[in-house]
């Protein structure tokens, strides 16, 4: 979460409610508690973002029927006390030369299974295991994959605002010149637009032209975009602490009949995936709906990734719209719907919107045209 900030609209009561919810969810999953290291979970639960490069142990300890405790280095305690959620927890600081693992162990007990942040440092986890050999650990993604998945009204407003900012960036980038310029130059334009429209962090600006479009995660390079190229644009980042992510495919000059046909197919698949969004449907139903359209047209082998991923305080998080994921959709969940077709050595097409589940269906947070846009 380097460079991101918790949204100022959240209060100490909001963070208190989140920590309480997380502790109850841990108990429901049979865990003795949760250990939350620096990263998106800690920001979401407390509003505190520690220094990104610190090797000193910082850990939020959550357990049912116990007050939250944040173990923090003494030299970073002043910043931790200024976090919006600090009044909803107890700060337990430690000084250099002392054993932070012994101090943390006293909060956990000699045994039990704990959920721990996926991005916790290995040296911290191994030290806790040595200090408390009777404990065991599970990653938060494994133990509580839906912890942050359902957004409240304030969070939905922030995801919507991030989506609107990404849309504004697309409306302007479609008017710049593509032909004769390097992918890296257009990507820099996109990053600048995202920042101009309020993003504090740009996570990716994929500009995949011609045959590069057949690589869904193409790394922007120095290829010169040519007349006749399809160009896949996939871009997003964080605005006020919440993510944007959208994809549109444009064409330099007039497309061929096949290029139009494939683009229309992906647009139809994206619409089918969106129409499958409703409370109680399984995540895999969204993938199945989009994939059926592409497979039915004979391009199934060229749709090579899942249909979507969750989004919130990170641009990729659970839930995932993929075959085998039976998690039911719940109002407030936010995720991408982004089918694509990728023809090796030739071109690719992807169309992506961020969608939230409503009480009776779905709502898009991206509203730019899904028709094939022609650029110069």
């Amino acid at each position: 979460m380097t460079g991101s900030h918790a949204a100022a609209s959240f209060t100490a009561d909001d963070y208190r409610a989140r920590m309480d919810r997380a502790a109850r969810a841990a108990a429901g999953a049979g865990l003795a508690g949760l250990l939350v290291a620096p990263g998106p979970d800690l920001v979401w639960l407390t509003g505190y973002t520690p220094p990104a490069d610190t090797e000193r142990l910082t850990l939020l300890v959550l357990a049912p029927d116990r007050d939250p405790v944040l173990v923090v280095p003494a030299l970073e305690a002043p910043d931790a006390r200024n976090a919006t959620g600090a009044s909803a927890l107890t700060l337990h600081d430690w000084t250099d030369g002392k054993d932070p693992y012994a101090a943390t162990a006293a909060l956990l007990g000699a045994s039990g299974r704990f959920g721990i942040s996926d991005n916790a440092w290995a040296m911290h986890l191994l030290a806790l295991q040595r200090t408390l050999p009777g404990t065991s650990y599970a990653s938060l993604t494994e133990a509580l994959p839906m912890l942050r998945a359902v957004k409240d009204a304030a969070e939905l407003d922030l995801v919507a605002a991030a989506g609107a900012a990404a849309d504004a960036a697309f409306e302007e980038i479609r008017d710049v010149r593509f032909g004769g310029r390097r992918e890296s130059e257009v990507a820099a334009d996109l990053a600048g637009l995202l920042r101009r429209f309020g993003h504090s962090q740009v996570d990716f600006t994929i500009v995949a032209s011609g045959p590069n479009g057949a690589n869904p995660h193409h790394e922007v390079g120095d290829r010169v975009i040519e007349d006749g190229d399809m160009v896949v644009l996939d871009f997003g980042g964080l605005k006020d602490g919440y993510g944007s992510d959208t994809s549109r495919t444009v064409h330099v000059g007039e497309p061929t009949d096949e290029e139009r046909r494939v683009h229309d197919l992906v647009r139809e698949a994206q619409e089918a995936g969106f129409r499958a969004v409703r409370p109680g449907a399984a995540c895999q139903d969204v993938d199945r709906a989009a994939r059926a359209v592409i497979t039915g047209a004979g391009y199934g082998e060229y749709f090579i990734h899942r249909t979507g991923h969750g989004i919130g305080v990170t641009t990729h998080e659970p839930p995932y719209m993929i075959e085998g994921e039976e998690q039911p959709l719940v109002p407030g969940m936010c995720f991408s719907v982004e089918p694509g077709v990728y023809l090796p050595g030739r071109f690719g097409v992807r169309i992506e919107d961020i969608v939230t589940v409503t009480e009776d269906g779905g709502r898009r947070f991206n509203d730019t045209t899904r028709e094939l846009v022609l650029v110069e």
Side-chain angles (χ1 to χ4, degrees):
M1 293 276 297
T2 303
S4 65
H5 303 279
S9 58
F10 298 125
T11 67
D13 285 342
D14 293 324
Y15 292 117
R16 182 180 289 106
R18 290 177 185 178
M19 287 187 279
D20 180 62
R21 188 172 109 200
R24 285 186 281 108
L31 298 172
L34 300 180
L35 308 179
V36 185
D41 291 314
L42 185 63
V43 175
W44 183 77
L45 286 163
T46 68
Y48 175 50
T49 304
D53 57 352
T54 184
E55 76 284 359
R56 295 176 173 90
L57 179 71
T58 298
L59 207 61
L60 175 67
V61 179
L62 298 177
D65 303 320
R66 292 170 58 182
D67 291 336
V69 178
L70 181 63
V71 179
V72 63
L75 77 169
E76 293 163 13
D79 285 340
R81 289 191 184 94
N82 287 331
T84 305
S87 63
L89 52 79
T90 299
L91 215 62
H92 187 104
D93 60 11
W94 61 274
T95 57
D96 285 352
K98 303 294 185 182
D99 184 353
Y101 307 108
T104 304
L107 303 171
L108 304 184
S111 63
R113 184 167 178 80
F114 294 86
I116 189 166
S117 300
D118 295 21
N119 54 338
W121 284 28
M123 75 174 190
H124 296 322
L125 175 57
L126 292 171
L128 282 173
Q129 289 177 317
R130 286 194 300 271
T131 305
L132 294 171
T135 59
S136 61
Y137 302 86
S139 75
L140 280 188
T141 293
E142 173 192 341
L144 295 174
M146 296 297 115
L147 180 62
R148 305 193 318 257
V150 178
K151 277 64 177 175
D152 62 25
E155 290 181 291
L156 291 174
D157 286 345
L158 290 166
V159 179
D167 281 0
F170 176 72
E171 293 293 359
E172 292 216 10
I173 200 68
R174 61 185 285 182
D175 291 331
V176 309
R177 183 163 188 84
F178 280 68
R181 301 179 69 211
R182 299 184 187 278
E183 292 176 342
S184 56
E185 293 175 317
V186 178
D189 288 345
L190 261 177
L193 287 168
L194 286 171
R195 291 190 179 95
R196 175 147 68 88
F197 289 113
H199 282 64
S200 61
Q201 178 174 317
V202 176
D203 287 343
F204 47 89
T205 51
I206 294 174
V207 178
S209 63
N212 289 340
N215 176 2
H217 280 175
H218 169 64
E219 291 288 338
V220 167
D222 289 331
R223 182 183 186 275
V224 175
I225 302 169
E226 301 175 356
D227 186 61
D229 278 349
M230 278 282 208
V231 185
V232 178
L233 305 175
D234 184 354
F235 51 97
L238 297 180
K239 180 182 184 295
D240 295 326
Y242 280 75
S244 69
D245 186 1
T246 188
S247 299
R248 294 292 186 263
T249 303
V250 302
H251 195 277
V252 184
E254 196 63 32
T256 65
D257 289 345
E258 183 188 22
E259 287 170 332
R260 281 197 179 276
R261 186 169 64 251
V262 172
H263 191 276
D264 286 346
L265 174 65
V266 173
R267 182 165 52 83
E268 181 184 349
Q270 206 270 345
E271 179 68 18
F274 171 68
R275 295 298 174 193
V277 175
R278 63 186 183 280
C283 290
Q284 67 180 2
D285 292 341
V286 178
D287 183 84
R288 287 175 175 178
R291 199 168 300 275
V293 174
I294 292 173
T295 299
Y299 286 87
E301 66 182 294
Y302 303 113
F303 181 9
I304 56 177
H305 56 73
R306 65 196 176 204
T307 294
H309 58 81
I311 193 168
V313 293
T314 57
T315 49
H316 287 74
E317 63 186 43
Y320 297 101
M321 307 302 113
I322 190 171
E323 181 65 32
E325 179 52 80
E326 298 180 350
Q327 167 68 42
L329 299 180
V330 177
M333 283 182 174
C334 297
F335 49 85
S336 65
V337 179
E338 52 176 307
V341 168
Y342 308 93
L343 302 178
R346 301 180 62 204
F347 65 89
V349 176
R350 181 164 64 257
I351 300 172
E352 174 186 14
D353 294 325
I354 297 303
V355 171
T356 187
V357 185
T358 65
E359 294 296 332
D360 57 1
R363 171 192 169 197
R364 285 182 162 110
F365 285 148
N366 296 106
D367 294 316
T368 55
T369 182
R370 295 166 199 92
E371 301 288 341
L372 182 57
V373 170
L374 305 187
V375 297
E376 295 183 353

